[in-house]
Amino acid sequence: MDILTTTSNGILTIEFNRPERKNAITGAMYTTMADALRVAESDNTVRAILIVGKPEIFTAGNDLDDFLNNVGEGAMTEDRPVFQFMRALEGSTKPVVAAVAGLAVGIGTTLLMHCDLVYAADNAKFSMPFTQLGLCPEFASSLLVTQAAGYTRAAEKLMLGEAFSAQEAFEMGIVAKVLPAADLLAFAQGQAAKLVKLPAASIRTTKMLMKRSRAALVADTIKAENERFSAMLTGAEAKEAFTAFFEKRKPDFSKFD
């Protein structure tokens, strides 16, 4: 199974389990995760959620073969599996902890903005290469990265799309702590266990109040990003970027205005 879900001691663990494809996420994987989050929302025995990858990789982002096979008119409508997952993640009233080791590419970094406690191994490497694919930020990353890191650092990461280290992610406020890779999972599990022992209503209320002031702005930004992302997805620059990716060459954007 490409996504493993287990519930133990009040913690729902969602694990990327496709290492042979660098944990690249398919539509079916998004659906599995969305379903798990929805079930957890109504399950009073689940008091915290933990999202993890493998020690060598968190996720390489969208599986481009799967993603492009589903591109077409209306492909980025909100009934798509990725929207279902991100809506369930953003809307979760329960605390979500993420433990990131290795690569976290694209949506692998974006989803962290919608978690509550994010911890990174010292081998973690983050990237949001949307412009390199002829696209734009997604799921409020243009807002949330800027709020966390400030405009200048956000511009560097979102405009250039280059990878950055766990230490940079910590300095930008994207992760709360950087740990040795061997210690990451146990630490994140321990933090989730602490949340389980605290009053559930107090945790839910605190999370709601912290996110309340940004909720409408996040929703508006996701809508604006998606409108542009959808239009750009079928554009010439994106076509060149994806063609170059599959042909294992550098894209040439010089012919586009």
Side-chain angles (χ1 to χ4, degrees):
M1 297 178 66
D2 294 336
I3 295 292
L4 300 178
T5 60
T6 57
T7 301
S8 178
N9 298 319
I11 302 169
L12 165 67
T13 300
I14 298 174
E15 179 181 352
F16 294 113
N17 186 46
R18 201 186 181 207
E20 72 282 0
R21 293 297 300 271
K22 298 183 178 179
N23 286 343
I25 311 172
T26 64
M29 293 166 70
Y30 282 123
T31 297
T32 299
M33 293 190 290
D35 289 346
L37 289 170
R38 291 192 194 103
V39 170
E41 188 67 16
S42 59
D43 184 350
N44 291 335
T45 68
V46 174
R47 297 169 71 102
I49 297 159
L50 175 62
I51 300 176
V52 303
K54 297 297 184 186
E56 64 278 4
I57 187 161
F58 186 63
T59 173
N62 284 313
D63 181 304
L64 290 183
D65 284 313
D66 179 84
F67 183 75
L68 293 176
N69 282 339
N70 292 293
V71 169
E73 187 175 355
M76 290 306 292
T77 55
E78 294 191 14
D79 59 351
R80 278 182 61 107
V82 62
F83 269 93
Q84 296 298 311
F85 165 64
M86 290 300 294
R87 183 180 291 114
L89 179 61
E90 170 62 19
S92 175
T93 63
K94 300 183 179 183
V96 182
V97 182
V100 184
L103 290 176
V105 180
I107 192 78
T109 293
T110 300
L111 73 86
L112 302 175
M113 309 297 166
H114 299 276
C115 298
D116 302 300
L117 304 180
V118 181
Y119 302 105
D122 51 14
N123 70 345
K125 197 163 281 285
F126 305 83
S127 65
M128 297 171 284
F130 308 118
T131 59
Q132 296 179 6
L133 294 172
L135 300 171
C136 67
E138 60 180 4
F139 295 109
S141 53
S142 62
L143 169 70
L144 298 177
V145 177
T146 303
Q147 286 184 340
Y151 181 87
T152 301
R153 297 200 75 171
E156 181 181 55
K157 305 312 178 191
L158 288 169
M159 290 185 181
L160 294 177
E162 296 173 344
F164 53 100
S165 68
Q167 183 60 34
E168 285 185 275
F170 171 73
E171 293 168 358
M172 292 167 63
I174 293 174
V175 304
K177 189 182 292 290
V178 179
L179 300 112
D183 299 339
L184 175 68
L185 182 57
F187 182 85
Q189 289 171 331
Q191 297 294 86
K194 290 179 185 178
L195 290 165
V196 168
K197 294 176 182 178
L198 290 167
S202 180
I203 294 294
R204 288 196 305 270
T205 301
T206 299
K207 176 172 178 171
M208 179 275 292
L209 290 170
M210 291 177 67
K211 298 183 79 170
R212 178 173 173 269
S213 64
R214 78 179 200 189
L217 187 54
V218 166
D220 182 68
T221 303
I222 290 174
K223 183 177 184 293
E225 288 174 343
N226 184 53
E227 289 173 353
R228 288 157 179 82
F229 191 100
S230 296
M232 298 176 79
L233 190 56
T234 55
E237 291 176 322
K239 182 177 180 179
E240 166 63 13
F242 289 126
T243 299
F245 176 85
F246 287 114
E247 293 179 352
K248 301 185 186 303
R249 63 173 174 83
K250 290 185 177 181
D252 179 9
F253 298 120
S254 62
K255 54 191 172 184
F256 307 114
D257 295 330

